[in-house]
Amino acid sequence: MDNDHWIVTLDAVADTLIPSRGPWPAPSDLAVAADLVARLRGEERLQLQESVERLRKDGFSTRNAPERTAMLAQLEENEPLRFDELRRLVYFGYYAQPVVTRVIRALGHDINESPQPLGYQLSPFSRAEGARAPQRRSRYIPTESVGSTLERGT
Amino acid sequence: MRQTRTLPEVEVLIIGAGMAGGAIACTLAEAGVEVRCLEQGNWLPGGARPHGDRYYELERGTRWNTSPNIRRWPADYPIGSDAVEPLMLNQVGGSTAIYTAAWPRFRPTDFVKRDEHGLAPNWPLRYEDLDPFFTENDRAMGVSGFNGDPAFPPHHPYPNPPLPLGKRGNALAHACEQLGWHWWPFPMAVNSREYRGRAACNHCGACQSGCSIDALAGSHNTYWPRALAAGAQLRTNSRVIRIESDSLGRVTGATYVDTQTGERHFQPAHKTVVCGNGIGTPRLLLASASKRSPQGLANSSDQVGRNLMFHGLAIVEAWTTEILEPHKGVICAASYSAEFAETDPSRGFVNGFTLLACGMNGPGFQANGSHSGNIAPWGVDHHEWMETHLNRGFAILVQTEDLPNPENRVTLDPVLTDSDGMPAPFVHYRLDHNDERLLRYACERAHDLAVAAGAVEVHVNRFFDAQHRYRPPAWHLLGTARMGDDPATSVTDGEHRAWDAEDLYICDGSSLPTSGAVNPTSTIGAVALRCAVAILKHLGRAAPSWSGPREPSLPSE
């Protein structure tokens, strides 16, 4: 199906934007493209499809890695807004993957797949922090003392 | 043409169920007044939000975008503009159902700018007049804060202790200490502990889509439950298309469309209160023009829609070597500095600004440049960049006071309409020269702060586009139907009565004559409570018996 072809191309584009390295998986290993496209609203999906279709027709998936990089660099230079949107969506799609969250966690970050339901633990505001707050820095000007700024300045 | 059905008259009709509409409805209903509110949106249950969705960041940029022009929900109306991207929500709670709940007060000088420098008007009230209403509003909303901020007059204690500073709040604090600047934990309408049946915040960091556990207070989970319990009627999916007035200029109620059925109704009222926000309110007043009021309702002064203020806004982001976890805790703000909040004429401009320690959201948002466009490179360097940047930094929100300029205004868009054919608002806004200098200076100080916080990389988003036009996201919609002492330069008196439309009240961000250098919702809520007490007085009813350091009172007639 034609529809599947552009999603295959989108995975190849995503792999070029975010190549696998060390613990970081390639987007295509996670089927990011299909996962992302399923989440888009109609208009956003159509815009993305249009961008990817152009690359598909130019044989993006059949090119080697340097050629793919060159094609995306050309898109970035010639149509920056279109490229920005393509990259934006791919980044959101990649970092929405639970496997990627696990990689980030393994790097020492306390992070969840989504903000809820777990939230995060933070140390409560402490007496020591309160004691550090500067009691005498800054000040407000009482209403009865406002006068004229210009007069105050002189 | 559809027939309009006339409903039985109510004592007070409120248009818009946001911060002001909720506070007024609650206060009036608890005093025994018959209140009905028309709201074009619906209830937005916490569970409907994207906080539990691994695509929460994409959702926040699309379906949950804070701009109605991008979000495009059925209750949204489009907003034309040559300048900014206005942000708002049209649901029960208004924008408080999706805001970040930053809760500073305006300062005493914000009410007397004419006395201070003459480039903005005085309010028809003083800080001291509003103080008891700030206090009651803080209690209703469950504000968490640290008492004793020397940047404000002493006031009644916050109902909840401060929220955690977290690593980024401490980073701003340490930086301020190095620079010898003021800093303080920022007051937030977010529960640091369970309060009045609402949960304590679990620091999930996704406040920009509202709150899925109702730890964050909006009028939808504070004032509205109380209002409904006291007998107020809230009609959702009810879009007001026109405020009606008789041949003598007395406002008689409003015509609205039931957006579920398409039926039109006329809701008569003894008194009508417009609470549609700083863009929705002038839009509705202008769209309610009549033979008697050809310039728009309550607009003989030609002030409706003018003097629009948003705040000058910029974001300075600091990347550090230390992991500061900017994805945790309230996104705006853990701590702040008011070192430059007051006017200092030696700087070459009037008014001041505040600097807030804000979050950066999750990895997808950070990879996409966070708030300042520092986008992770694509290709072979992508992961190395993420490993050295992810969660290592924080955002400094620069918020400056903008001057009221009559040319900055809301008018009716000649082309755009909403789904019921009502003209959309059109927004024009330019920064005044004074405000440009102020914003530039504020960005320089925020840069100093970032460096003092140990930043190894700093990016500044001044919100200027490729053509050097200032195009910020605009949350704070202020000044477009301002109150005042002079009918020639204001739309309402100090008790929110329209000067030239009897029985019409206007109360929301549009009522504020100046913008302050802080987030305005706390002040809008306090002003709304004061407006409600004024309406009670005009109805011959007793003021509510709020306890506090001073009882709320108004000048006698």
Side-chain angles (χ1 to χ4, degrees):
Chain A
M1 264 172 66
D2 191 48
N3 198 29
D4 292 339
H5 289 149
W6 83 269
I7 289 175
V8 169
T9 304
L10 179 57
D11 261 336
V13 169
D15 284 354
T16 310
L17 292 171
I18 310 177
S20 68
R21 198 200 72 174
W24 300 94
S28 60
D29 291 342
L30 308 173
V32 165
D35 191 51
L36 169 67
V37 168
R39 300 303 299 258
L40 297 178
R41 297 188 291 187
E43 192 177 317
E44 292 144 3
R45 179 185 166 128
L46 283 174
Q47 284 176 359
L48 179 64
Q49 183 171 1
E50 188 183 317
S51 299
V52 176
E53 278 291 0
R54 287 212 223 159
L55 293 164
R56 188 182 71 81
K57 285 172 183 164
D58 290 339
F60 188 89
S61 299
T62 62
R63 306 293 183 93
N64 61 32
E67 289 171 337
R68 289 180 181 184
T69 300
M71 288 176 75
L72 287 182
Q74 191 174 29
L75 179 65
E76 184 177 27
E77 186 174 334
N78 295 342
E79 296 184 79
L81 294 179
R82 186 182 288 279
F83 177 83
D84 285 353
E85 182 62 4
L86 176 63
R87 178 185 55 197
R88 188 180 80 90
L89 293 175
V90 167
Y91 282 8
F92 276 137
Y94 185 72
Y95 289 102
Q97 303 304 314
V99 172
V100 176
T101 305
R102 286 199 288 276
V103 172
I104 294 172
R105 219 176 275 147
L107 292 171
H109 296 271
D110 177 20
I111 195 159
N112 300 324
E113 287 175 17
S114 59
Q116 296 287 354
L118 296 176
Y120 298 102
Q121 292 286 324
L122 285 178
S123 300
F125 185 79
S126 69
R127 195 181 293 262
E129 288 170 325
R132 275 176 43 214
Q135 307 291 333
R136 275 179 276 181
R137 282 301 309 180
S138 187
R139 79 232 181 288
Y140 67 93
I141 299 169
T143 303
E144 63 275 13
S145 305
V146 170
S148 161
T149 290
L150 295 179
E151 286 171 19
R152 258 200 349 254
T154 56
Chain B
M1 185 158 173
R2 283 178 181 274
Q3 279 201 325
T4 300
R5 190 162 70 99
T6 298
L7 303 171
E9 186 180 56
V10 294
E11 200 168 9
V12 175
L13 171 66
I14 297 172
I15 301 169
M19 182 71 243
I24 294 169
C26 177
T27 306
L28 296 182
E30 289 182 345
V33 176
E34 183 193 18
V35 180
R36 180 169 294 166
C37 178
L38 301 174
E39 165 56 50
Q40 62 191 319
N42 209 330
W43 289 92
L44 199 57
R49 299 172 192 271
H51 296 61
D53 183 347
R54 60 190 170 86
Y55 267 102
Y56 67 100
E57 298 196 282
L58 176 68
E59 289 290 314
R60 199 170 66 76
T62 54
R63 291 177 184 84
W64 287 85
N65 199 290
T66 42
S67 166
N69 287 340
I70 297 172
R71 190 175 57 234
R72 300 193 304 269
W73 289 0
D76 287 321
Y77 52 84
I79 302 174
S81 179
D82 62 358
V84 296
E85 188 64 61
L87 311 179
M88 67 170 73
L89 187 71
N90 300 300
Q91 301 289 326
V92 177
S95 296
T96 68
I98 201 174
Y99 74 151
T100 59
W103 214 252
R105 299 176 173 199
F106 275 28
R107 305 154 66 84
T109 45
D110 293 326
F111 298 80
V112 285
K113 287 292 176 182
R114 184 175 63 213
D115 295 348
E116 188 188 63
H117 53 58
L119 298 177
N122 283 355
W123 290 43
L125 62 144
R126 300 290 179 264
Y127 174 89
E128 292 74 17
D129 299 319
L130 210 50
D131 180 48
F133 300 98
F134 276 126
T135 296
E136 176 57 26
N137 197 39
D138 287 354
R139 286 189 186 130
M141 302 290 281
V143 176
S144 299
F146 188 49
N147 299 309
D149 187 346
F152 287 87
H155 57 72
H156 203 73
Y158 294 113
N160 288 317
L163 289 153
L165 282 181
K167 291 181 179 177
R168 78 179 129 100
N170 270 301
L172 180 136
H174 284 302
C176 286
E177 284 162 8
Q178 282 190 40
L179 294 165
W181 292 0
H182 163 274
W183 74 269
W184 205 258
F186 204 51
M188 297 289 300
V190 175
N191 288 346
S192 58
R193 61 185 175 192
E194 190 177 325
Y195 184 77
R196 294 189 178 179
R198 290 187 296 108
C201 174
N202 66 0
H203 319 301
C204 83
C207 315
Q208 281 174 309
S209 303
C211 184
S212 66
I213 61 170
D214 280 327
L216 185 151
S219 76
H220 58 292
N221 57 21
T222 56
Y223 284 113
W224 273 112
R226 283 172 52 190
L228 297 176
Q233 301 169 52
L234 173 59
R235 295 207 165 174
T236 56
N237 303 308
S238 299
R239 171 177 278 164
V240 173
I241 54 173
R242 184 176 173 80
I243 301 169
E244 307 290 356
S245 50
D246 63 20
S247 58
L248 299 175
R250 179 186 167 267
V251 167
T252 55
T255 298
Y256 70 95
V257 177
D258 180 329
T259 57
Q260 301 293 290
T261 64
E263 291 174 354
R264 291 188 174 214
H265 304 279
F266 170 56
Q267 176 59 67
H270 181 47
K271 294 188 183 300
T272 299
V273 191
V274 186
C275 305
N277 82 38
I279 288 178
T281 287
R283 174 201 186 206
L284 187 55
L285 294 172
L286 294 171
S288 300
S290 64
K291 278 186 184 169
R292 195 175 188 281
S293 307
Q295 296 189 106
L297 188 61
N299 195 28
S300 63
S301 63
D302 192 28
Q303 293 297 298
V304 169
R306 294 189 183 274
N307 305 302
L308 175 64
M309 297 169 286
F310 288 128
H311 287 132
L313 182 70
I315 295 184
V316 175
E317 288 188 312
W319 276 268
T320 60
T321 53
E322 186 186 353
I323 293 175
L324 295 180
E325 299 184 326
H327 61 298
K328 295 183 180 179
V330 289
I331 191 154
C332 173
S335 58
Y336 89 112
S337 175
E339 181 69 20
F340 305 95
E342 297 284 3
T343 294
D344 178 348
S346 69
R347 296 179 196 137
F349 51 80
V350 300
N351 294 332
F353 60 93
T354 50
L355 303 172
L356 283 58
C358 296
M360 282 175 162
N361 300 305
F365 189 78
Q366 292 184 47
N368 272 312
S370 193
H371 304 286
S372 63
N374 189 14
I375 300 169
W378 63 273
V380 292
D381 297 329
H382 180 83
H383 292 302
E384 184 186 349
W385 190 96
M386 288 300 285
E387 287 166 7
T388 54
H389 288 74
L390 179 64
N391 290 341
R392 297 170 196 272
F394 68 107
I396 302 168
L397 177 68
V398 178
Q399 195 163 230
T400 70
E401 176 168 2
D402 49 351
L403 289 167
N405 175 347
E407 299 307 313
N408 288 338
R409 63 188 298 198
V410 177
T411 53
L412 296 180
D413 194 291
V415 179
L416 280 178
T417 63
D418 66 21
S419 54
D420 291 301
M422 183 178 170
F426 183 86
V427 173
H428 169 79
Y429 182 87
R430 292 283 183 273
L431 272 183
D432 180 272
H433 291 309
N434 177 84
D435 301 341
E436 279 185 17
R437 291 195 295 275
L438 166 54
L439 189 55
R440 192 178 312 122
Y441 180 88
C443 286
E444 289 167 3
R445 298 295 75 75
H447 196 282
D448 294 342
L449 191 60
V451 171
V456 292
E457 203 173 324
V458 181
H459 282 254
V460 181
N461 184 355
R462 296 175 194 272
F463 294 108
F464 283 86
D465 67 11
Q467 284 75 45
H468 301 288
R469 292 172 303 186
Y470 179 60
R471 297 186 81 96
W475 255 126
H476 305 149
L477 316 174
L478 307 171
T480 50
R482 65 187 182 184
M483 58 173 129
D485 289 323
D486 182 354
T489 58
S490 57
V491 179
T492 74
D493 68 9
E495 296 183 358
H496 297 268
R497 290 173 292 200
W499 287 113
D500 56 357
E502 193 182 346
D503 290 329
L504 177 68
Y505 293 74
I506 300 166
C507 186
D508 53 31
S510 69
S511 304
L512 276 50
T514 61
S515 67
V518 292
N519 315 62
T521 313
S522 164
T523 303
I524 293 169
V527 161
L529 291 179
R530 186 174 173 279
C531 173
V533 171
I535 293 171
L536 289 172
K537 184 180 78 171
H538 303 156
L539 290 170
R541 307 288 185 96
S545 55
W546 298 324
S547 59
R550 290 174 56 205
E551 290 302 312
S553 62
L554 294 159
S556 52
E557 292 279 284

